[in-house]
Every structure is written in C-alpha cells, then in structure tokens.
C-alpha cells in the first residue's frame, strides 16, 4: 500500500521481543514506528577515519613481489570476481572512483590521467561509451577515507547529517536492531557435523540452492547500481591469525561503519591485500523474495561457511555485518586451536590481563573500562598461544541515556569519523539528545578504538590472569563475588546467566532468569561445550583464575532488596586485579557450592554472604532453590547433547552446578 506522498510504506509490524529459543540478544530491536522514509526522517530531527596505527605490523603472508601495475590489475580483477553473479559468464567491468565526480571532471575538461600524490587517490575511470549492453559498468569506491565517505553519505543518503561534535548521524531504516530469526546458515555435509543445531542453537538451517538464489539476488542488485563501496580490511590484531575480509555495500554509512569496526590496513597492506578470506555482499536495501524456501520475511542474513560468504537482504542495520563476522570467527578460530570470546578485555600496568563476560545490563562495559588499566577491546577477542587479541578495530557502544559524567570515554569518542545510528538531534544546533527514543532505544555509536584515550595499540596482550563472569542477579541470592574452580567456571560459562527486571522489557513484573550460552549464544557456531572445554584448557595451561561477580541485588529480590553499589563492585574487581582475593579466607555457600571471601578491603563484610542480608531467611532459601532449579532446567539441553564421539558432558561439570 502506498503512502499519501506516493512512497512505498516501510514494513514496521512484527514482534517487539527479539528472542530465539529463549535466548536474549542485546542489540535486537523492534522495528521503528514510522511508515515512510519521510516519517522516519522527521523522527530523527527535533524541531526548534584515521588509519589504524599498527606498530611493526607484519606484511601479509600472501604478499608477493609484484609491480604496482600488476597489483592494481589483480586488485580490480579480484573485486570484479567478487561482484560476478554465479550465473553470469563474466562480472561487470569494474572501474574505480565516484562516477559523479568523473562526470563533473569531464564536463570541465579536466584531465583523466591518474595521479599518485596522496594515500586515498583513486585512479580516474576511462570514458565509458553508452551502449545497449546488459552489462553494467560498476564504479568501485575502494577503501575511502572517512572524509570521502561523509561526502558520499551527505550527498546521496537521506537522513545523513553532521552533528555538533562532528559525528555522522544516519538512519538504518525500518530495522534498528539485528533480526536473529532471519539469520540462516547453509547446512552442508561439513556444517551438519561441525555446527550446533537444534534446541537452544542460534543456527537456523538453509540449503545451498537457497543461498545461491539469495546471493544472485544481492549481487544483481549491487551490479545494477552506479557505484558500490568496497572495504578490504582485517579481523584479529594477532598478525599470525588475522583474517582478510571484503565488504561490498551500497551505502556510505555501511562502508564507514565497517571502516571503524574492522582493522584498517596500512598503504602497504592494502596494496598486497590479494584475495579475501571472507566476503560480505550487503544488499540490505533490497528485500529477499519471501516465497523463497526457508524465508520467513523480506529480511534474510545468510552465511555459507564453505564459500566463505555472507549475503544480507532486507535490512540496513549495520550490526548484522559486525555480528555476522563474529560468528564466522567463532567457526574459523577454534579450527586453529584459538578460542573466540564474547568479552571485554583490559590490562594493568604490570601486564596482568582480565577478561570480562556478561550479558546486557551486567556492567561489562563499565567494569572493563578502567582509567587505571589499558583497554584491549570492549566486545570480541581471541585467546591463542600468543596471548589475547582484539578481533575488531573499533567499538560499538550503546548511546541511550549517554552522559559525559557517566561515560566520559564514549562521550568524547563521538567526534569526526564516528557513526551515530538512529539518534535524534536538534534540527538547528545538531546537538544530539541521547535520552530521546523516538526512532529506537537501540541507538549506537561506532568509532575506531584509538578514539579511546587508554586503548592499547596494537590491541594485543599476554595470557589472561583472571576470567570474570558477570551476572546481574535480580533474585538477590548470588554472592557479590565467588572464586570458581575449573569445573564451576565451565558450568557458569556454558550457562551464561543474568536476570531481566521490570522495566527492561514490556510485560516483565518480576525477575526473569535469562541464559545465553558462553555469554553470546546468538553468535556461536559450535556447541557451547566446545568453547567451554577450550576455555578450561587455556585457563589451566596459563594459570588463570575464574570468578563469578554479581552486580545485581542484595538483601532481597528486585523490588525488595537493593542493587549492590557500584563502588563496592569496583573494589571487588580491584581486589581481583591486585591478587588480594587469591590469599583471602573463603567459606562455601549452600546449594550452589560457591567459595566466597569472608572479607575484602573497602567492602562491608555483611554483604559478601547473601543470606546475611535477607531479613526473611525462609524467603531467601525459597528464592535460592527457585533459581537453582532454573539453572538445572536450562542445563538439561547441554547435559544430554551428543557431539562427535562424546556422549555427554563430564560428570565433573554437571557436579559443579547447584545441588539440592
């Protein structure tokens, strides 16, 4: 149905809760209320990249001694091959540069000869003769700088504006969060054996034929455009294990987003980039065919691990690219014996590294951001025999209710080069109102990690000393801190527990337990026990200690007790970093069997054992048993899961759970 102005309506109807098999996802969001592009744009306005510095970066292992002319030819040939549809004999004739700019230059009689005087210059395109050929001449805007991408976005993409701090504000369209129900993975013979399928898994199957159908639809759409944006970048700061990725997209916003979120190559690395290890075809402005097999809506996010490709149709939310690549790393890295982790990571002045795991609302970002420690990364990491390394080149921070007082580092990072998604700003001053949820509650900022003052560049560190599992227990029965043995660490890592409270989502009146395996079930590819076993192996090999830290309630459940004060939690984290808790005296709790310290400097001793903070001891015991039952029920799917030749989890891990 058409809108009054003749534009097609935006589909905005759908589920307001984004859960897959009971798993909570922190960046999924309900579609916006706007029915047309103009309405969405009106919500956005209120009336009234630097190159990553890689020190001593190793050259690509695929680099070869080629002439500049040959490298340029191979680069264009590689991009052309990426854009070639499978059922077409040849790909498009690829030229570099902005077609609009070339046209302007030609009109002015400017010379069309390429020059080589600065880093981001793109060779001029030859004159193109108009013909009736069905082949489209596609201009490739290759690894543009942030300034160039700003120009493209503001000139050609409605809803793109420069805010008062210099960030680029943009709109992601009707979808303002991920669409986990529309994500598909090709279930070929290898994937059927290797990947996690079934209850609790985020992997929804599709076949090879359907993937190729969607791939051709996406590639044909990209080939129909006057220009496409191509990013060639890296994942993983460990030079021995980095992955080359190519992102082909139709929007400058998407190109700038990935410029920030992936690792930016140097000039030399760009010249010798070669063929990518993984390619994304982002045709998000174009819908999939809803009548295609396996499709349930006009949105489809498809991954083919054998082809090392990802196709995006029907959603312009940039986070699909970030999290899609994270899923790919969850598949590729374990094959090399490297553990991929959904965690924050920081390092002390003495080189002690800590990993922070936690779902939304547990304080992962707040606690891993410490002015006394260096930030290695805020979200995605690898743990190899070389140590820990950040997968990404940037940060993707939530902006809702952002303030300079509470999050000064994020606040100050929102400047030129940063992408602001779906925020609302004053039409005249361009000042952003971070409390305004008119477009979505899932407003986001994507910026290079070097925008954080205490970021460690390169983003690598030694082996972690501490593995901290964060839970916001709204039932109020978990201790503020517990020291875990290896089996307990595996149990709680696989469980991935936190609790939603009233106000977090519509319809929640009392605490609701949420479990997300490995603290990131939406992104893992293999069975959770695989990652847990690797985590235990590395912790044991390198001497790391596991901790369970409750940032939730004490003295009663939500609505009765009080949330544990942040200064106390920070004291607990400081005591973990300093090693104070390694020499503390401990006692064991009932039911969960957790080891809790009897005293921590700067923390009231009475809150360390949760039962002592409850006035109604019977209510405490009843609530404790209720939560323990929820843990046991959640773990049933893992206890009975068969993978390869293994029949089940070991009795040791099962025994590490609650007992009653």
């Amino acid at each position: 149905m058409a809108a009054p102005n003749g534009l097609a309506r935006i589909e905005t109807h759908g589920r307001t809760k984004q859960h897959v098999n009971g798993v909570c996802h922190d960046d999924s969001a309900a579609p916006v209320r706007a029915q047309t592009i103009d309405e969405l744009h009106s919500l956005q306005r209120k009336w009234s990249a630097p190159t990553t510095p890689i020190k001593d970066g190793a050259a690509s292992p695929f680099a070869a001694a080629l002439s500049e002319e040959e490298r340029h030819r191979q680069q264009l040939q590689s991009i052309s091959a990426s854009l070639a549809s499978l059922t077409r004999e040849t790909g498009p004739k690829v030229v570099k540069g902005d077609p609009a700019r070339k046209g302007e230059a030609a009109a002015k009689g400017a010379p069309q000869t390429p020059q080589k005087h600065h880093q981001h210059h793109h060779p001029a395109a030859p004159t193109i003769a108009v013909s009736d050929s069905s082949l489209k001449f596609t201009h490739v805007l290759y690894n543009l700088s942030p300034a160039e991408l700003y120009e493209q976005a503001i000139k050609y993409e409605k809803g793109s504006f420069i805010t008062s701090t210099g960030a680029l504000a943009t709109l992601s369209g009707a979808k303002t969060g991920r669409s986990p129900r529309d994500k598909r993975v090709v279930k070929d013979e290898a994937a059927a054996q290797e990947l996690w399928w079934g209850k609790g898994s985020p992997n929804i199957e599709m076949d090879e034929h359907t993937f190729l159908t969607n791939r051709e639809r996406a590639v044909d759409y990209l080939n129909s455009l006057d220009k496409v944006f191509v990013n060639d970048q890296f994942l993983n700061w460990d030079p021995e294990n980095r992955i080359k990725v190519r992102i082909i997209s139709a929007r400058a916003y998407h190109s700038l987003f990935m410029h920030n979120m992936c690792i930016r190559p140097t000039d030399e690395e760009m010249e010798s980039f070669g063929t990518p290890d993984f390619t994304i075809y982002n045709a998000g402005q174009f819908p999939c065919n809803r009548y295609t097999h396996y499709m349930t809506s006009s949105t489809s996010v498809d991954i083919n691990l054998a082809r090392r490709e990802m196709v995006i149709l029907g959603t312009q939310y940039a986070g699909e690219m970030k999290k899609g690549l994270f899923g790919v790393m969850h598949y590729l890295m374990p094959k090399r014996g490297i553990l991929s982790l959904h965690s924050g990571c920081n390092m002390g002045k003495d080189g002690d590294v800590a990993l922070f795991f936690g779902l939304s609302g547990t304080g992962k970002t707040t606690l891993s951001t410490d002015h006394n420690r260096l930030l290695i990364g805020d979200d995605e990491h690898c743990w190899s025999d070389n140590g820990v390394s950040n997968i990404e080149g940037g940060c993707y921070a939530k902006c809702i209710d952002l303030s300079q007082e509470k999050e000064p580092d994020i606040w100050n990072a929102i400047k030129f080069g940063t992408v602001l998604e779906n925020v609302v700003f004053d039409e005249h001053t361009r000042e952003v109102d971070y409390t305004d949820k008119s477009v979505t509650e899932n407003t986001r900022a994507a910026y290079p990690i070097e925008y954080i003052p205490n970021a460690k560049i390169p983003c690598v560190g030694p082996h972690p000393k501490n593995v901290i599992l964060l839970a916001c227990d709204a039932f109020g029965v978990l201790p503020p801190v517990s020291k875990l043995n290896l089996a307990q660490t595996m149990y709680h890592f696989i469980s991935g527990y936190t609790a939603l409270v009233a106000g977090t989502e519509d319809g929640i009146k009392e605490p609701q337990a949420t479990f997300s395996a490995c603290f990131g079930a939406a992104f893992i590819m293999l069975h959770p026990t695989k990652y847990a076993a690797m985590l235990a192996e590395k912790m044991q090999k390198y001497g790391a200690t596991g901790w369970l830290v409750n940032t939730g309630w004490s003295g009663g459940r939500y609505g009765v007790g009080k949330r544990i004060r942040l200064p106390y939690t920070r004291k607990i984290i400081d005591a973990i970093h300093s090693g104070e808790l390694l020499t503390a005296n401990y006692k064991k709790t009932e039911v969960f069997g957790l080891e809790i310290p009897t005293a921590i400097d700067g923390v009231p001793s009475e809150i360390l054992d949760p039962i002592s903070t409850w006035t109604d001891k019977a209510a405490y015991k009843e609530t404790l048993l209720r939560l323990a039952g929820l843990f046991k029920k959640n773990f049933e799917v893992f206890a009975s899961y068969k993978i390869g030749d293994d029949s089940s989890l070991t009795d040791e891990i099962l025994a590490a759970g609650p007992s009653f």
Side-chain angles (χ1 to χ4, degrees), residues 400-582:
I400 197 68
D401 296 325
L402 179 68
S403 70
Q404 190 171 14
E405 294 73 28
K406 292 181 180 179
E407 300 285 357
D409 286 346
I410 296 175
W411 179 276
N412 293 327
I414 298 176
K415 55 186 180 181
F416 178 81
T418 297
V419 177
L420 279 174
E421 282 182 326
N422 302 313
V423 297
V424 176
F425 53 81
D426 183 276
E427 187 183 41
H428 176 60
T429 65
R430 297 292 196 266
E431 291 182 358
V432 178
D433 182 356
Y434 292 108
T435 66
D436 197 309
K437 306 172 185 177
S438 296
V439 178
T440 179
E441 198 165 312
N442 187 40
T443 53
R444 295 266 175 168
Y447 49 84
I449 194 166
E450 58 264 30
Y451 281 16
I452 299 296
N454 64 329
K456 183 184 182 300
I457 307 292
C459 302
V460 297
H463 298 288
K465 283 183 60 177
N466 295 293
V467 174
I468 301 170
L469 312 182
L470 300 169
C472 177
D473 177 29
F475 292 89
V477 295
L478 289 184
V481 60
S482 313
K483 186 170 71 170
L484 306 176
N485 59 36
L486 273 177
Q488 287 175 321
T489 302
M490 292 176 74
Y491 182 89
H492 287 279
F493 178 71
I494 292 171
S495 297
Y497 164 72
T498 194
L500 301 175
V501 298
T504 304
E505 291 192 15
D506 292 339
I508 298 178
K509 305 299 182 186
E510 60 181 33
Q512 179 176 309
T514 299
F515 301 91
S516 183
C518 307
F519 293 93
F523 321 119
I524 60 178
M525 288 285 191
L526 311 180
H527 192 268
T529 57
K530 291 286 191 180
Y531 302 103
M534 290 183 71
L535 178 63
E537 178 187 359
K538 291 189 182 298
M539 288 179 66
Q540 193 168 34
K541 183 176 180 179
Y542 299 110
T545 305
W547 308 89
L548 179 63
V549 173
N550 173 25
T551 62
W553 273 254
S554 179
R557 65 173 179 83
Y558 172 83
V560 178
K562 294 182 179 180
R563 188 157 189 182
I564 299 168
R565 293 183 58 204
L566 181 58
Y568 294 156
T569 302
R570 288 199 182 277
K571 288 286 186 183
I572 289 170
I573 298 297
D574 289 343
I576 291 173
H577 291 323
S578 69
E580 175 190 338
L581 286 188
L582 290 177

Side-chain angles (χ1 to χ4, degrees), residues 130-262:
V130 178
S131 73
D132 58 356
S133 170
S134 60
L135 267 181
K136 184 77 175 178
F137 286 90
T138 300
H139 289 252
V140 171
L141 304 188
Y142 181 73
N143 274 33
L144 296 193
S145 68
E148 291 171 303
L149 290 168
Y150 265 57
E151 292 170 359
Q152 291 288 326
I154 292 168
K155 189 172 182 179
Y156 300 111
E157 296 178 12
K158 191 169 184 178
S160 296
F161 298 89
I162 300 176
T163 67
S164 59
T165 63
L168 180 70
T170 188
L171 293 169
S172 66
K175 294 292 181 74
T176 60
R178 288 181 301 102
S179 301
R181 293 183 183 275
D182 296 310
K183 177 188 169 189
R184 301 285 183 272
V185 182
V186 173
K187 190 175 184 180
D188 54 24
E189 187 175 342
Q193 295 297 316
E194 295 176 328
L195 269 56
W196 177 27
W197 304 99
K199 185 179 179 181
S201 167
N203 300 317
I204 306 173
E205 70 176 89
M206 73 185 307
D207 60 26
E208 175 87 3
H209 175 78
T210 305
F211 175 84
L212 295 180
T213 300
N214 283 353
R215 181 193 188 277
E216 179 167 307
R217 190 175 177 94
V219 170
D220 282 349
Y221 169 76
L222 292 168
N223 279 337
S224 75
L225 303 175
D226 288 334
K227 58 189 174 187
V228 295
F229 299 89
V230 174
N231 291 47
D232 279 350
Q233 296 179 262
F234 298 118
L235 296 178
N236 196 354
W237 282 82
D238 178 359
E240 292 183 20
N241 295 293
R242 69 185 182 186
I243 300 297
K244 298 185 296 182
V245 294
R246 170 168 293 162
I247 304 98
I248 303 172
S249 56
R251 292 193 61 180
Y253 144 51
H254 290 154
S255 186
L256 181 57
F257 177 90
M258 295 308 285
H259 170 89
N260 290 346
M261 295 311 303
C262 295

Side-chain angles (χ1 to χ4, degrees), residues 182 214 217 283-292 295-302 312-315:
D182 296 310
N214 283 353
R217 190 175 177 94
Q285 292 134 297
F286 200 68
C288 71
N289 186 328
R290 293 182 294 111
Y291 299 102
T292 305
M295 300 299 102
T296 55
S297 75
S298 60
T299 296
S300 187
V301 179
D302 307 328
I312 299 174
L313 290 163
T315 174

Side-chain angles (χ1 to χ4, degrees), residues 93-96 99 102-103 105-107 109-114 123-131 137 139:
K93 296 180 180 178
V94 180
V95 293
K96 284 188 177 181
K102 300 299 177 289
Q112 295 293 305
T113 54
T127 303
I128 300 173
V130 178
S131 73
F137 286 90
H139 289 252

